[in-house]
Amino acid sequence: MLKSSILILLLSALVILLLHQVGFSLGFLAVLHKIFLEYLNKIFASGQIGILLKQTMALFLVPLLIALVPTAVYYATARRSFAYYQHVLWTVWVIMVVIIAIH
């Protein structure tokens, strides 16, 4: 419990120190999501079902592609599967949901 408290305290201080970079990263995720939505606009119809499919696919593809980057780098260097792929995927997905909810 003490280690977790110290870790969260250190991570909070790090986020405060790097607030500009964190904001830039979150903005990058929002722009990437918007680019995917615009690209998927060409594929799906503009009806209610098309909009639902477009938004669902964008919310699925962005975290998937972001999680594939560390997975590919790890596989290229260690020639083993990345054990934390699901953790990275779900973390990015939750962050994307929060970004979308705020906008």
Side-chain angles (χ1 to χ4, degrees):
M1 173 102 171
L2 181 62
K3 281 198 252 184
S4 296
S5 299
I6 292 172
L7 181 64
I8 203 82
L9 182 66
L10 291 175
L11 288 176
S12 297
L14 187 65
V15 167
I16 296 299
L17 290 173
L18 302 173
L19 197 56
H20 182 68
Q21 288 80 5
V22 171
F24 178 77
S25 300
L26 294 177
F28 173 74
L29 286 176
V31 168
L32 190 61
H33 183 259
K34 186 176 180 181
I35 290 170
F36 269 82
L37 284 176
E38 290 173 2
Y39 178 73
L40 291 172
N41 240 358
K42 300 173 186 174
I43 298 172
F44 294 105
S46 61
Q48 287 182 341
I49 294 176
I51 292 171
L52 175 67
L53 288 174
K54 175 180 65 168
Q55 291 175 346
T56 303
M57 289 300 294
L59 186 58
F60 171 72
L61 290 175
V62 172
L64 179 73
L65 292 175
I66 290 173
L68 283 176
V69 171
T71 302
V73 169
Y74 185 79
Y75 183 77
T77 57
R79 296 288 183 215
R80 293 185 309 195
S81 63
F82 187 56
Y84 299 105
Y85 172 74
Q86 291 290 326
H87 296 96
V88 172
L89 179 70
W90 279 106
T91 302
V92 174
W93 185 84
V94 167
I95 292 170
M96 288 295 301
V97 168
V98 170
I99 290 172
I100 292 168
I102 289 173
H103 279 90

